[in-house]
């Protein structure tokens, strides 16, 4: 489109309109899917299946939320999800921070590569071995088993993000610390850690989200008492019916926490996601 | 998110025990200090070895055996599982479907992601909110999102088929059509992961030097020529990273395919990962399934290594 | 690399050896019969024990939970129920049994699918010695109340390994109003159904004549009724796979033509709930599937055709109609250390009273007494349907799946032919697919030897 044929002001208006239209097109897919999920969660089964679809002209019902919350021990699943995601991201930070610091400070690239191998293995490959191992340890269906298995998700993420943060610290601080008589572990504990607090928040939030979203590990390693939300959605796949309504209600509820987290911490998420891609 | 990466730039390493240590009466702490480069990563190493080594060793062990999980112990059968895979049409089919899915979805993500990044690179009111909203699909729970797509793709009552028909299009059966199922799944993957490519490219755009653009302006280059001859070449390293990140995860895509089609219709969307899962966990051919997982792992590692090399070469130029 | 690695590797090696040893030298399981030796039955014998029940949720779990107190009052046994949806249950149970988990005592199984594989892996407990033993079975239990066809469905290799809590069988659901408009009698043969479907079929108005499942492994359930009515078999008496015999290929052809000519678009990709959903929306005139959709179809908040649904037995062709009978049932985990107490739970959960209580909520009970009870008959909203199911328990002799291990894979192999037929393949083309799949099925059979 060349703007030279139209007078200048009109050209600018056209360009502006084109820009906003493009933006709407870019945001439409996300909007549509979430719109469909949320409206379906307020429809009766019979309306969900109507063609042509009832976009907004249906009589909304709260039945799906009622059955989602009443037919399953929902509060328990929610607490499980929270517990597992929180514990595994904290644990990931606990072991990931010192490792990331050491990698950044001593340029241990071999170590960094071997630790990040965890990221390359297909998740499916863990399932049977984990199950067998945790059974031998009598841990299947326990929180520790689930939390440990999620460390595979949270830990590489933490190391990866934190190495970049630690590497970004100016070298002078180490000298300054030494002059002040700090030992090396003290330097890590008292100086490097406080300086990289934003990084920890970034790593923690992302680890939490990815642990919260995991479905594979929980499918095999959780039991009735430790089941997490993503697995619980499938409670509504029955032998004789697919209860789309309650499933959509569940899906909506599961996503609310991560979406809220995104709204409040989008800057951190952007930082974490793009870490290391731009030098 | 975290992937292979070369070690980041770090301050030059300093020999252990250098510097002037003020005298202290804490021998244990001094000893710990001296070996901090081993002590600090130790917990991580222990956990990773414990969590990784067993699955790897066990999978390799099983891949040389035949076992259905029963009371009879696994039977050693040597390389049979591997030769069986290499001589089975289904294995090659699943490999081809994996390639098709990965190339299609990563290709779409890169093209749309770059476009979206250019869009969000501009300043406009409400940019932060729009960008956050654009990111939602990436952090939404995959298993739950997949259910929504499954419903929308439904052959008769699904909203997509209705939309296509209502604008005069043909009846498209999406996930029920063997020829359309992989593109349909690639659309879901693209919907989920384009934001990641967008964010990486956006960060790349923000870090670009200004001079080449000013030079292009002086030369009188239009926006398209500037993009092709200045922006893209400068973005190349960043794009490579984005592609590497996505390739590795796309090869391993599991949740959305499992939930939406479970490999169907027929075997039309049975990627290598699904094939391995089905053989191992549905048919209880633990040995054969493990052999397939070994192949899958080699594939991921191969792609990662090739790309890291390409990237290193790009950086040298 | 690091000094810390070596001990870790050693610990790992020890752990690995332990696990491998466990999978190689464990105790043999199952089939040993009750531990109790006596002949007087006492509900309170295991007072104070606690049981873990791990089952698939086919919709009955809530009722079971609601009634658990009754069981605890009766026996003094406390029960913890862990349930999972069918899909993840099927995924998880074999993994748990593989690792010999003994943290659950009662489990669920679907013998049609799991039977042969589980039996050859030693994952069942033979219930025969329990049922026949008056010392551990309540005199009121009345096992004969499960009709012959149902009792057969509880056996694998002539051993009773489960007691069903539901009874699935095939039937045809149709729209009474549309049949009346077309002026036809209720069809009884496949040919008549095709003619009726053609008469009603009106794709321009989104009304289709007949719906069926399309996803390969799931087609075997409705297809078994086609196969047996056309005198076909999965495997012949000599143990050879025969899904490429003229009879079987004709059955596949009929299945495919019915669905392809009169089915909704995309039928080859239909998951098991889709035919009933389409029917509930009023898009389909008739469909052949299992008997689990009644309450859904008669519920106005879920179905636009409530009140207009007709039910009839599966049709015949050259041979008599032969609906399968099968379903989910309770079984005892062979690795459990409380097998006797587990049997107490199963007895109670499959007792006459429990069956009747569930029946009154619309559940497809496997006990004849529940269907015939006056309480049920008085309030039965769909007597037609009840009759169809009762008839099925009398004349069922079919297996819905090839009797081959692994069951899931055998279903996948045999079902692919039906899937291709729905995509429109016929004649020689279809014969070719059947030949190829038959060879694969034979491969599995050979591997079983």
């Amino acid at each position: 489109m060349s703007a030279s044929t139209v007078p200048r002001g009109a050209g600018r208006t056209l360009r502006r309109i084109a820009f906003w239209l493009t933006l709407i097109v870019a945001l439409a897919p996300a909007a549509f899917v979430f719109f469909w999920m949320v409206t379906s969660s307020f429809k009766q089964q019979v309306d969900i299946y109507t063609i042509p679809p009832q976009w907004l002209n249906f009589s909304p019902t709260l039945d799906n939320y009622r059955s989602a919350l009443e037919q399953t021990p929902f509060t328990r699943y929610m607490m499980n999800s929270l517990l597992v995601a929180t514990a595994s991201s904290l644990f990931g930070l606990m072991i990931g921070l010192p490792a990331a610091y050491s990698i950044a400070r001593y340029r241990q690239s071999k170590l960094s590569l071997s630790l990040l191998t965890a990221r390359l293995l297909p998740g499916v490959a863990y399932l049977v071995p984990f199950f067998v191992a945790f059974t031998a340890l009598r841990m299947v269906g326990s929180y520790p088993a689930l939390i440990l298995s999620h460390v595979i998700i949270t830990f590489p993420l933490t190391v990866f993000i934190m190495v970049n943060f630690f590497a970004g610290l100016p070298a002078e601080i180490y000298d300054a610390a030494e002059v002040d008589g700090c030992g090396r572990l003290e330097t890590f504990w008292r100086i490097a850690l406080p300086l990289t607090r934003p990084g920890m928040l970034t790593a923690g939030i992302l680890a939490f989200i990815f642990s919260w979203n995991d479905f594979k590990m929980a499918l095999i390693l959780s039991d009735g008492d430790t089941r997490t939300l993503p697995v619980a959605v499938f409670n509504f796949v029955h032998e004789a019916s697919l209860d789309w309504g309650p499933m959509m209600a569940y899906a909506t509820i599961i996503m609310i926490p991560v979406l809220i987290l995104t709204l409040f911490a989008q800057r951190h998420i952007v930082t974490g996601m793009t870490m290391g891609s731009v030098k | 998110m975290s992937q292979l990466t070369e070690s980041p730039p770090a301050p030059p390493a300093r020999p252990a025990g250098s510097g002037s240590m003020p005298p202290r009466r804490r021998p244990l702490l001094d000893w710990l200090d001296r070996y901090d480069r081993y002590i600090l990563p130790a917990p991580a190493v222990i956990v990773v070895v414990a969590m990784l080594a067993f699955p790897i060793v066990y999978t390799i062990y099983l891949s040389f055996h035949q076992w259905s999980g029963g009371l009879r112990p696994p039977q050693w059968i040597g390389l049979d599982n591997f030769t069986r895979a290499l001589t089975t049409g289904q294995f090659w089919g699943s490999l081809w479907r994996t390639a098709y899915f990965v190339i299609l979805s990563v290709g779409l993500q890169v093209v749309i992601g770059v476009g979206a990044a250019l869009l969000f690179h501009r300043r406009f009111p409400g940019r932060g909110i729009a960008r956050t909203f654009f990111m939602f699909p990436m952090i939404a729970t995959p298993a739950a999102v997949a259910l929504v797509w499954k419903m929308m793709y439904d052959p008769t009552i699904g909203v997509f088929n209705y939309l296509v028909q209502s604008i005069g299009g043909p009846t498209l059966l999406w996930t029920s059509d063997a020829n359309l199922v992989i593109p349909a799944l690639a659309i879901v993957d693209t919907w989920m992961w384009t934001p990641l490519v967008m964010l990486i490219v956006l960060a790349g755009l923000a870090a670009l030097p200004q001079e080449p653009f000013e030079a292009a302006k002086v030369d009188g280059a239009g926006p398209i020529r500037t993009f092709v001859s200045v922006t893209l070449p400068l973005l190349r390293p960043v794009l490579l990273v984005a592609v590497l990140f996505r390739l590795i995860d796309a090869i391993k895509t599991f949740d959305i395919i499992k939930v939406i089609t479970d490999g169907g219709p027929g075997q039309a969307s049975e990627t290598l990962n699904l094939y391995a899962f089905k053989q191992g966990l549905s048919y209880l051919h633990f040995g054969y399934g493990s052999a397939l997982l070994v192949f899958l792992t080699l594939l991921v590692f191969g792609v990662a290594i090739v790309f890291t090399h390409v990237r290193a070469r790009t950086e040298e130029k | 690399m690091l000094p810390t690695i070596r001990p870790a590797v050693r610990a790992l090696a020890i752990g690995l050896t332990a696990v491998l040893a466990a999978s190689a030298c464990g105790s043999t399981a199952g089939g040993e019969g009750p531990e109790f030796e006596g002949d007087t039955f006492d509900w309170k014998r295991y007072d104070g024990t606690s049981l873990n029940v791990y089952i698939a949720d086919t919709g009955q779990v809530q009722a079971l939970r609601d009634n658990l107190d009754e069981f605890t009052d009766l026996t003094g046994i406390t029960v913890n129920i862990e349930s999972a949806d069918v899909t993840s249950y099927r995924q998880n149970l074999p993994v748990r049994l593989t690792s010999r988990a003994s943290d659950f005592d009662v489990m669920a199984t679907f013998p049609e699918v799991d039977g042969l594989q589980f039996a050859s892996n030693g994952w069942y407990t033979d219930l025969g010695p329990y049922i026949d033993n008056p010392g551990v079975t309540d005199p009121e239990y009345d096992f004969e109340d499960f009709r012959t066809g149902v009792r057969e469905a509880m056996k694998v290799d002539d051993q009773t390994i489960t007691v069903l809590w539901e009874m699935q069988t095939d039937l045809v659901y149709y729209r009474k109003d549309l049949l009346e408009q077309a002026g036809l009698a209720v069809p009884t043969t496949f040919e008549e159904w095709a003619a009726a479907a053609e008469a009603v079929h009106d794709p321009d108005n989104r009304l289709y004549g007949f719906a069926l499942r399309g996803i390969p492994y799931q087609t075997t359930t409705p297809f078994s009724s086609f196969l047996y009515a056309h005198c076909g078999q999965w495997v012949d008496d000599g143990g050879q796979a025969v899904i490429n015999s003229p009879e079987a290929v004709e059955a596949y052809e009929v299945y495919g033509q019915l669905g392809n000519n009169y089915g909704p678009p995309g039928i080859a990709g239909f998951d098991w709930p889709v035919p009933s959903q389409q029917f509930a929306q009023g898009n389909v005139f008739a469909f052949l599937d299992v008997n689990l959709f009644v309450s859904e179809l008669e519920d106005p908040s879920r179905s636009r055709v409530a009140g207009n649904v007709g039910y009839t037995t599966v049709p015949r062709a050259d041979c008599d109609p032969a609906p399968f009978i099968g379903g989910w049932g309770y079984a005892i985990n062979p690795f459990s250390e409380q097998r006797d107490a587990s049997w107490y739970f199963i007895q109670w959960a499959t007792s006459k009273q429990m069956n009747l209580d569930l029946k009154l909520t619309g559940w497809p009970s496997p006990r004849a007494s529940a269907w015939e009870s006056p309480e049920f008959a008085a309030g039965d909203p769909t007597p037609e349907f009840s009759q169809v199911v009762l008839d099925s328990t009398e004349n069922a002799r079919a297996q819905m799946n090839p009797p081959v291990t692994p069951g899931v894979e055998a279903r996948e192999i045999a079902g692919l032919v039906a899937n291709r037929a729905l995509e429109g393949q016929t004649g020689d083309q279809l014969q070719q697919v059947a030949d190829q799949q038959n060879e694969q099925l034979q491969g599995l059979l050979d591997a079983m030897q």
Side-chain angles (χ1 to χ4, degrees):
Chain A
M1 226 180 84
S2 95
S4 56
T5 49
V6 275
R8 218 163 154 187
R12 188 170 302 163
T13 317
L14 267 181
R15 272 212 297 274
R16 200 165 288 169
I17 290 172
F19 167 79
W20 286 104
L21 276 179
T22 321
L23 189 69
I24 288 168
V25 168
L27 295 176
F32 182 77
V33 173
F34 290 120
F35 164 83
W36 196 248
M37 173 177 85
V38 174
T39 49
S40 299
S41 73
F42 291 107
K43 287 179 185 176
Q44 291 192 334
Q45 182 97 344
V46 89
D47 290 332
I48 286 178
Y49 282 121
T50 305
I51 289 286
Q54 297 168 317
W55 302 106
L56 288 169
N57 54 339
F58 57 91
S59 42
T61 167
L62 283 172
D63 286 354
N64 295 325
Y65 285 90
R66 219 164 282 136
S67 56
L69 301 181
E70 284 168 12
Q71 283 177 15
T72 62
F74 175 81
T75 342
R76 167 142 217 161
Y77 296 155
M78 189 81 166
M79 295 315 284
N80 289 344
S81 267
L82 276 173
L83 174 77
V84 171
T86 311
S88 65
S89 34
L90 285 179
F91 191 65
L93 280 172
M94 252 166 49
I95 59 173
L97 285 170
Y101 173 81
S102 171
I103 290 171
R105 193 168 172 190
Y106 302 116
R107 300 189 153 204
Q108 295 159 308
S109 58
K110 280 214 174 67
L111 175 64
S112 120
L113 277 185
S114 41
L115 290 184
L116 294 177
T117 301
R119 202 47 205 88
L120 293 182
L121 285 183
V124 172
Y126 294 112
L127 299 182
V128 171
F130 271 6
F131 194 89
V132 168
F134 284 128
T135 305
L137 300 166
R138 303 235 152 208
M139 278 170 66
V140 167
S142 66
Y143 291 115
L146 210 50
I147 291 164
L148 272 175
S149 74
H150 277 219
V151 167
I152 288 291
I153 302 167
T154 61
F155 161 79
L157 199 69
T158 309
V159 169
F160 182 75
I161 291 171
M162 291 313 296
V163 163
N164 285 289
F165 271 95
F166 285 125
L169 293 177
E172 292 79 39
I173 62 159
Y174 301 125
D175 300 333
E178 211 162 290
V179 169
D180 293 343
C182 275
R184 289 185 188 184
L185 294 181
E186 259 179 312
T187 308
F188 163 68
W189 186 249
R190 295 207 174 155
I191 295 167
L193 276 192
L195 282 174
T196 49
R197 227 172 254 155
M200 280 187 247
L201 199 59
T202 300
I205 289 170
L206 275 179
F208 181 92
I209 290 176
F210 282 96
S211 167
W212 177 274
N213 285 347
D214 171 78
F215 154 79
K216 272 194 289 286
M217 300 286 180
L219 179 72
I220 299 281
L221 291 172
S222 67
D223 67 11
D225 295 336
T226 54
R227 192 166 297 157
T228 57
L229 286 171
V231 180
V233 184
F234 293 86
N235 275 344
F236 293 96
V237 181
H238 294 309
E239 195 79 343
S241 61
L242 283 174
D243 289 352
W244 284 114
M247 271 199 278
M248 291 302 118
Y250 236 96
T252 309
I253 298 169
I254 292 178
M255 289 188 204
I256 288 170
V258 279
L259 296 188
I260 289 176
L261 205 56
T262 314
L263 280 174
F264 282 103
Q266 53 117 351
R267 208 149 295 214
H268 284 285
I269 292 174
V270 172
T271 314
M273 288 288 207
T274 54
M275 249 311 161
S277 56
V278 183
K279 290 248 177 72
Chain B
M1 286 340 67
S2 50
Q3 308 286 0
L4 278 183
T5 166
E6 293 90 86
S7 91
R14 318 152 87 239
S18 77
S20 49
M21 286 276 194
R24 280 210 223 134
R25 276 163 297 161
R26 286 187 294 179
L28 174 65
L29 211 74
D30 285 349
W31 183 84
L32 286 178
D33 260 7
R34 188 157 319 140
Y35 292 107
D36 68 336
R37 66 185 55 198
Y38 302 124
I39 304 293
L40 287 170
V45 170
I46 292 170
V47 169
V48 167
V49 167
M51 301 296 284
L52 284 187
F54 180 71
I56 291 172
V57 173
Y58 194 67
T59 303
I60 292 173
Y61 163 87
L62 279 179
S63 69
F64 290 97
H65 291 75
Q66 185 173 15
W67 191 45
S68 64
L71 297 180
R72 274 194 327 165
Q75 309 290 306
W76 169 268
I77 53 167
L79 287 169
D80 279 10
N81 286 323
F82 296 95
T83 49
R84 190 182 133 199
L86 294 174
T87 52
T88 307
Q90 208 176 341
F91 168 76
W92 293 105
S94 72
L95 208 56
W96 150 246
R97 284 186 286 269
T98 308
Y100 180 27
F101 171 81
V102 167
I103 290 166
L104 196 61
S105 53
V106 175
L108 278 171
Q109 284 156 39
V110 168
V111 171
I112 302 173
V114 169
L118 290 173
L119 196 68
F120 283 103
H121 189 52
R122 303 178 49 155
R123 292 186 178 282
F124 58 89
R127 183 169 74 155
I129 294 286
R131 191 183 64 178
T132 309
F133 194 79
F134 189 81
M135 271 163 45
F136 275 176
M138 179 174 70
I139 44 109
T141 311
V145 165
L147 274 172
V148 186
W149 282 88
K150 184 183 169 82
M151 185 168 134
M152 296 194 299
Y153 273 144
D154 194 284
T156 342
I157 46 198
V159 65
F160 284 144
N161 188 25
Y162 168 80
L163 287 177
V164 173
Q165 281 179 333
S166 62
I167 54 169
T171 306
L172 290 183
L173 298 176
W174 303 106
T175 48
S176 308
D177 179 339
N179 298 315
L180 269 183
V181 64
I182 297 263
L185 290 166
I187 289 174
V188 182
D189 197 61
T190 302
W191 180 88
M192 275 173 69
W193 291 111
T194 298
L196 176 68
V197 179
M198 187 281 283
L199 287 180
I200 292 174
V201 176
L202 196 59
L205 284 172
L208 289 184
Q210 286 308 303
E211 302 86 34
F213 290 95
E214 281 154 15
K217 221 175 201 158
V218 170
D219 293 346
I224 292 176
R225 222 187 82 199
T226 309
F227 175 73
V228 171
S229 58
V230 182
T231 320
L232 268 187
L234 285 174
L235 277 179
R236 204 181 135 167
V238 177
L239 280 176
L240 275 175
V241 176
V243 170
L244 172 67
F245 281 20
R246 285 306 310 134
L247 270 183
I248 285 171
D249 280 346
I251 294 173
K252 298 189 299 180
T253 304
F254 179 79
D255 292 10
I256 60 169
I257 304 182
K258 175 86 188 129
V259 172
I260 298 177
T261 65
D262 202 7
Q267 290 154 354
S269 60
E270 196 177 72
T271 57
L272 185 50
N273 204 357
L274 265 281
Y275 181 41
F277 182 87
K278 214 179 244 188
Q279 287 290 330
L281 286 158
S282 300
Y283 301 164
L284 306 188
H285 300 320
F286 286 118
Y288 187 55
S290 299
L292 292 172
L293 283 171
V294 170
F295 278 122
L296 180 64
T297 310
L298 290 175
L299 183 69
V300 177
F301 273 78
V303 166
I305 288 165
V306 166
F307 253 78
T308 323
H309 273 285
V310 170
R311 202 181 147 205
R313 287 247 307 282
T314 314
E315 303 230 326
E316 280 165 20
K317 275 175 196 165
Chain C
M1 189 165 108
L2 291 170
T4 46
I5 280 196
R6 208 164 298 148
V9 170
R10 240 191 68 221
L12 184 85
I14 295 167
L16 185 70
T17 319
V19 170
L20 297 182
S23 57
C25 5
S27 61
T28 52
E32 291 153 25
E35 290 155 51
F36 176 74
E37 293 166 357
D39 49 14
T40 44
F41 180 77
D42 174 13
W43 276 116
K44 284 278 187 215
R45 184 167 302 127
Y46 299 100
D47 195 344
T49 355
S50 85
L51 285 175
N52 286 309
V53 174
Y54 175 48
I55 48 176
D57 188 358
T58 54
Q60 90 299 0
V61 170
Q62 198 51 49
L64 203 60
R65 281 188 210 278
D66 294 344
N67 288 313
L68 270 183
D69 291 348
E70 183 193 309
F71 177 67
T72 307
D73 293 345
L74 178 71
T75 60
I77 301 172
T78 48
V79 179
N80 169 41
I81 296 182
E82 179 193 342
S83 65
D85 62 277
V86 171
T87 319
S88 45
Y89 186 84
R90 280 218 167 109
Q91 217 78 79
N92 271 293
L93 180 67
V95 179
R96 292 194 183 196
L97 289 168
T98 293
S99 61
R100 310 180 166 220
S102 56
D103 55 354
F104 57 98
D105 305 291
V106 176
M107 63 186 196
T109 182
F110 195 113
E112 280 272 6
V113 181
D114 310 329
L116 293 166
Q117 174 90 58
F118 278 31
S120 76
N121 277 351
W123 288 347
Y124 281 136
T125 302
D126 183 2
L127 300 182
Y130 290 86
I131 296 167
D132 301 338
N133 183 331
V136 292
T137 299
D138 180 15
E140 305 286 297
Y141 187 58
D142 189 8
F143 191 59
E144 304 295 308
D145 181 25
F146 296 99
R147 293 279 163 84
T148 320
V150 187
R151 287 207 306 274
E152 281 308 307
M154 301 183 186
K155 288 182 180 169
V156 173
D157 297 339
D158 292 332
Q159 281 188 347
T160 301
I161 44 78
T162 180
V163 180
L164 298 188
W165 73 62
E166 62 166 21
M167 182 180 60
Q168 295 186 21
T169 182
D170 277 340
L171 70 145
V172 181
Y173 302 77
Y174 64 94
R175 284 272 297 282
K176 288 182 194 169
D177 51 337
L178 294 175
L179 193 72
E180 212 168 301
Q181 279 169 31
L184 296 166
V186 180
T188 57
T189 69
F190 280 103
E191 278 176 9
E192 287 170 10
W193 272 114
E198 181 161 28
V200 177
H201 191 58
D202 183 6
D204 294 341
N205 291 314
R206 301 184 68 93
L207 178 62
Y208 305 97
F210 210 95
L212 289 161
R213 302 183 187 187
I215 293 203
Y217 78 92
Q218 299 182 356
T219 57
T220 59
T221 309
F223 175 73
S224 66
S225 295
F226 287 69
L227 181 69
Y228 292 104
H230 288 87
C231 316
Q233 288 177 289
W234 303 112
V235 175
D236 69 12
D237 303 334
Q240 296 298 305
V242 285
I243 57 171
N244 62 344
S245 69
E247 296 84 10
V249 175
E250 189 190 355
Y252 278 123
E253 186 113 17
V254 170
Y255 190 93
Q257 292 299 302
L258 196 57
N260 187 302
N261 294 340
Y262 313 116
I267 191 164
F270 279 9
D271 226 333
W272 55 264
V274 179
S276 77
Q277 287 164 358
Q278 299 267 346
F279 186 84
Q281 280 298 318
N283 300 340
V284 166
F285 161 58
F287 74 105
L288 188 156
D289 213 304
V290 294
N291 58 323
L292 300 177
F293 304 111
V294 183
S295 44
E296 179 109 351
L297 294 176
E298 297 288 1
D299 172 355
S301 80
R302 294 167 157 268
S303 156
R304 296 184 185 284
V305 295
N308 274 324
V309 191
Y311 307 91
T312 180
T313 350
V314 293
R316 56 174 305 127
D318 294 341
C319 284
D320 284 340
F324 80 93
I325 281 198
W328 282 93
Y330 299 104
I332 299 177
N333 176 6
F335 305 107
S336 154
E337 278 136 29
Q338 315 185 81
R339 296 206 290 273
D340 288 22
S342 302
W343 171 242
Y344 272 49
F345 174 82
I346 295 178
Q347 270 185 83
W348 168 79
T350 59
S351 64
K352 278 187 172 168
Q353 191 55 49
M354 264 309 260
N355 266 275
L356 180 58
D357 292 351
L358 279 173
K359 185 75 216 84
L360 295 177
T361 65
W363 190 250
S365 158
R367 276 182 181 267
S369 62
W371 292 86
E372 289 161 349
S373 77
E375 288 118 300
F376 172 68
D380 186 0
T382 51
E384 236 182 297
F385 169 77
S386 304
Q387 197 49 52
V388 169
V389 174
L390 276 176
D391 289 349
S392 297
T393 59
E394 297 298 342
N395 63 14
R397 54 169 185 76
Q399 273 212 283
M400 73 177 219
N401 294 316
V404 179
T405 62
V408 189
E409 196 173 1
R411 289 181 82 184
E412 187 87 54
I413 292 171
L416 191 78
V417 192
N419 169 270
R420 291 283 188 273
L422 284 177
E423 285 177 353
Q425 298 198 3
T426 59
D428 289 350
Q429 240 186 341
L430 192 64
Q431 180 72 49
Q432 245 173 19
V433 179
D435 288 343
Q436 173 197 316
Q437 297 306 96
N438 197 63
E439 199 175 320
Q440 283 202 34
L441 196 61
Q442 189 59 47
L444 284 189
L445 278 163
D446 295 342
M448 280 166 66
Q449 300 316 318

